[in-house]
Amino acid sequence: MKRGDNAFLILKKEFTGIKRNVLMKNHTTFKIGGPAEYFLFARKRRDLLRAIRIAKKLKLPVFVLGGGSNLLVSDNGIKGLVVKLQNKEPIILKRRNIIQTPAGIQLGKVVQFSIDKSLQGLEWSGGLPGTFGGAIRGNAGAFGGEIKDSILTVEALDNKLRLRKLSNEQCRFSYRSSIFKEKNWAVISAELKLVKGIKKNLKNIANSHIEYRKEKHPLEYPNAGSIFKNVDFRKVTLKIQKLFLDKVKKDPFLIIPSAWFIIGAGLAGKKIGQAQISKKHSNYIVNLGGAKAKDVLKLVELIKKKVKNKYNIELEIEVQFIGL
């Protein structure tokens, strides 16, 4: 019996829903990615913890998948076990302004829960895709807000399978990153501390951001969100500051959207295979149908090279590459 067959039999004995060679393109917003060697839905916290522990004993790599946004998966797929969070556990209002949320729930549902309870602090994220855990991992942000602003504590599983409860400070949040992204720890749940607000106002803000995304972002095509982090206004030369002064935004500090550098490099609309730099929002690469990870990577490298040559700026990747 092959080693892979033996691992599958052990996993199958523990989890009847385990599958082999599941195409990751069916589980990412980019609709790109080859087969996961083993694939499991974890609907409860205990299922996730048990799956990770068993995989570690079998010496299988483990990747915990949330909503599949902000990811580019290799055309060759992923070795080891992919555990997709599909929480059925509820969001809990622990006190007047503190909520506890499982990692696998869609961020939009957490936003809606907070608005229903007239709690302010998440309305900026209206329309953001992905799971709550993914938002924590990448310290998601938009319209001047960031997920770190509301985090009280985060429960996560570290690389030694220890369950940790981290304070906001211990999460080491930075621009579009955290300790969980740096160390590849699995976010399990978190507590949010919000403030009382006016439900109608919060709903209007969230809805306006949803409409903005529909209008300005290429949501009609599969994509992984922004490919590059925006550029810190304080870290560029005075010449670049002057050149893009009318493009500056707060996110949450002053930034120049990376899309403007890509446009300036003459790359809007550029295609390789079925991957294209969006004309609608040039910090997005879209899948026109059947795009490959290798095509996206070529576009990413082209953007980095052209922007570096023209502006002497190194764009930083925001999307996570898996198996590449």
Side-chain angles (χ1 to χ4, degrees):
M1 183 181 291
K2 294 179 182 178
R3 183 176 179 275
D5 292 335
N6 186 50
F8 181 68
L9 288 175
I10 293 171
L11 288 167
K12 186 75 172 175
K13 186 177 179 181
E14 297 288 340
F15 304 99
T16 56
I18 194 82
K19 294 180 180 179
R20 297 184 80 167
N21 299 320
V22 172
L23 289 175
M24 289 299 295
K25 70 177 185 180
N26 296 327
H27 296 279
T28 65
T29 59
F30 225 154
K31 302 302 179 188
I32 293 174
E37 189 174 8
Y38 309 111
F39 188 95
L40 176 70
F41 285 106
R43 292 177 171 82
K44 293 184 179 179
R45 163 201 173 100
R46 65 172 180 266
D47 295 333
L48 170 64
L49 298 178
R50 192 157 59 97
I52 292 174
R53 290 188 175 116
I54 292 169
K56 292 288 187 182
K57 286 180 183 178
L58 294 171
K59 297 183 178 178
L60 291 173
V62 181
F63 178 70
V64 179
L65 177 69
S69 59
N70 300 109
L71 290 178
L72 178 64
V73 178
S74 166
D75 301 317
N76 296 323
I78 303 177
K79 291 293 183 183
L81 174 65
V82 173
V83 184
K84 181 174 173 61
L85 294 175
Q86 203 174 58
N87 290 77
K88 300 298 182 183
E89 295 166 337
I91 305 171
I92 299 170
L93 182 63
K94 295 188 71 175
R95 292 194 285 282
R96 282 191 313 167
N97 63 333
I98 295 177
I99 62 176
Q100 182 175 312
T101 307
I105 198 163
Q106 289 295 311
L107 178 59
K109 291 185 178 180
V110 185
V111 175
Q112 189 59 56
F113 181 91
S114 67
I115 291 173
D116 288 343
K117 301 297 181 183
S118 300
L119 294 173
Q120 178 180 321
L122 293 179
E123 62 285 346
W124 58 266
S125 62
L128 275 181
T131 60
F132 177 62
I136 293 172
R137 180 185 175 91
N139 187 25
F143 300 103
E146 289 183 299
I147 202 75
K148 73 173 180 62
D149 299 334
S150 300
I151 293 294
L152 189 61
T153 62
V154 176
E155 190 179 38
L157 200 68
D158 70 16
N159 292 327
K160 293 184 179 180
L161 302 180
R162 294 175 299 195
L163 201 57
R164 292 171 173 254
K165 190 171 185 178
L166 288 79
S167 66
N168 186 300
E169 185 179 358
Q170 290 172 322
C171 292
R172 299 209 311 238
F173 288 117
S174 60
Y175 187 57
R176 303 298 182 264
S177 191
S178 68
I179 192 172
F180 314 108
K181 190 172 184 178
E182 292 168 6
K183 294 181 175 289
N184 197 28
W185 291 1
V187 177
I188 306 300
S189 67
E191 288 181 330
L192 295 171
K193 186 175 183 180
L194 304 171
V195 296
K196 277 293 180 183
I198 301 170
K199 185 186 292 188
K200 183 180 178 181
N201 293 347
L202 300 176
K203 189 174 181 179
N204 287 340
I205 292 170
N207 286 341
S208 70
H209 291 167
I210 291 170
E211 291 305 312
Y212 177 89
R213 293 181 192 284
K214 288 178 181 177
E215 180 186 349
K216 302 291 186 180
H217 297 177
L219 305 184
E220 63 271 27
Y221 294 107
N223 66 79
S226 295
I227 297 293
F228 297 98
K229 296 178 182 179
N230 290 319
V231 177
D232 190 334
F233 183 75
R234 302 163 297 182
K235 294 182 179 179
V236 298
T237 64
L238 185 61
K239 180 182 177 181
I240 296 294
Q241 287 182 351
K242 289 180 178 178
L243 187 61
F244 291 96
L245 193 58
D246 62 333
K247 311 298 184 189
V248 175
K249 291 184 177 181
K250 190 176 180 182
D251 186 36
F253 47 83
L254 294 181
I255 58 92
I256 303 170
S258 290
W260 290 112
F261 294 104
I262 299 169
I263 291 169
L267 293 173
K270 173 69 177 176
K271 281 175 59 178
I272 294 180
Q274 289 299 299
Q276 181 181 42
I277 299 170
S278 173
K279 294 179 182 179
K280 194 173 184 181
H281 190 312
S282 295
N283 197 16
Y284 277 63
I285 293 176
V286 297
N287 181 354
L288 299 176
K292 300 294 184 183
K294 63 181 181 180
D295 301 328
V296 176
L297 282 179
K298 287 177 183 176
L299 284 176
V300 167
E301 290 307 313
L302 179 64
I303 291 169
K304 290 175 70 176
K305 180 181 177 181
K306 293 283 189 180
V307 170
K308 173 68 174 175
N309 288 344
K310 182 160 186 176
Y311 300 107
N312 196 30
I313 285 174
E314 298 273 3
L315 292 181
E316 291 184 58
I317 297 290
E318 181 173 336
V319 168
Q320 185 179 6
F321 294 162
I322 306 296
L324 295 164

